[in-house]
Amino acid sequence: MTVPDLLGVVGVLLILVAYAGATTNRLDATKAPALLLNLAGALLILLSLYFDFNLSAVLMEGAWALVAVIGLIRLALGASRKQG
């Protein structure tokens, strides 16, 4: 297994952990831990795709990462509004 393959597999595992956690009510899909797992997983998969490009996979993981980033921004803005 190559390093890019290993990065991609770890990325997939992180996303699956987040998804399993959300579907079993162990993680809240709208909170930082699940969003960070999804973001890290998507970024690792995107990194692996740099070495073996696949357009549809890049689009999917880019969208996955974007959704996670938007969720994290919303959390940060909501937290800053509560403090201020």
Side-chain angles (χ1 to χ4, degrees), residues 27-61:
L27 283 176
D28 183 340
T30 64
K31 300 293 183 201
L35 293 169
L36 288 169
L37 283 169
N38 279 313
L39 178 59
L43 292 176
L44 286 173
I45 294 169
L46 283 169
L47 182 58
S48 76
L49 288 167
Y50 172 80
F51 297 96
D52 190 11
F53 186 79
N54 178 311
L55 179 59
S56 59
V58 167
L59 292 172
M60 182 67 202
E61 296 310 320

Side-chain angles (χ1 to χ4, degrees), residues 1-43:
M1 181 177 297
T2 66
V3 172
D5 288 337
L6 183 60
L7 293 173
V9 169
V10 171
V12 168
L13 290 174
L14 290 175
I15 289 173
L16 289 174
V17 165
Y19 184 72
T23 58
T24 59
N25 292 321
R26 292 175 188 233
L27 283 176
D28 183 340
T30 64
K31 300 293 183 201
L35 293 169
L36 288 169
L37 283 169
N38 279 313
L39 178 59
L43 292 176

